[in-house]
Amino acid sequence: MMRATRKGMTLIEVMMAVTILATAMLGIAGFMGKFAHIVAVSDVKNTANELASQRLEEIKNSPRYSAIDTLYPGTVALASPYLGYTRKTLVTHTGGGSADLYDYRTVTVTVSNPRLDAPIKRTTIIAAY
């Protein structure tokens, strides 16, 4: 007696195909979740870097070198559109006395946000001119 030709798939074959497809979809979903998180954190880091750089440029362009110590240090919680960001500016003056060979200020700007793992920190040195 001859066997009839089979049409379609068996139940086992369908279950295996669904299992393989489900495993692949779970892997893709996990990847997409991690990717979305990395993109969001990258955006926050980029904004923090930009805020720190803007502050340093503002201080570098200060018309009065002698006023840097008093005008710029401090911590500020930034307003819209930068809600959640905090910017801290620290100025350290080195030298400047009549007997000193050096006269410069070290400016450090630290920008933090709850979504950052570590605050962004930028430093520059501004010499007397």
Side-chain angles (χ1 to χ4, degrees), residues 3-123:
R3 281 180 108 170
T5 57
R6 184 176 100 170
K7 293 183 180 179
M9 298 173 64
T10 65
L11 181 59
I12 301 262
E13 290 172 330
V14 170
M15 289 175 61
M16 289 302 293
V18 168
T19 302
I20 292 170
L21 182 62
T23 303
M25 294 302 285
L26 285 173
I28 291 172
F31 170 76
M32 291 303 291
K34 288 179 185 178
F35 181 75
H37 174 72
I38 289 170
V39 168
V41 169
S42 176
D43 184 44
V44 172
K45 281 184 182 180
N46 187 34
T47 301
N49 274 318
E50 187 177 319
L51 289 169
S53 296
Q54 284 176 353
R55 181 65 166 180
L56 288 176
E57 288 303 315
E58 176 186 344
I59 295 169
K60 284 180 191 178
N61 292 323
S62 175
R64 295 185 331 200
Y65 173 78
S66 61
I68 291 175
D69 289 345
T70 56
L71 291 177
Y72 297 103
T75 301
V76 176
L78 300 173
S80 182
Y82 302 111
L83 293 175
Y85 290 92
T86 304
R87 183 177 60 208
K88 179 180 178 184
T89 305
L90 176 67
V91 178
T92 306
H93 187 189
T94 303
S98 58
D100 293 330
L101 296 173
Y102 304 107
D103 183 9
Y104 63 90
R105 285 162 169 80
T106 304
V107 181
T108 302
V109 177
T110 306
V111 179
S112 59
N113 185 293
R115 292 170 44 192
L116 288 173
D117 294 334
I120 301 296
K121 190 180 280 190
R122 296 285 173 259
T123 301

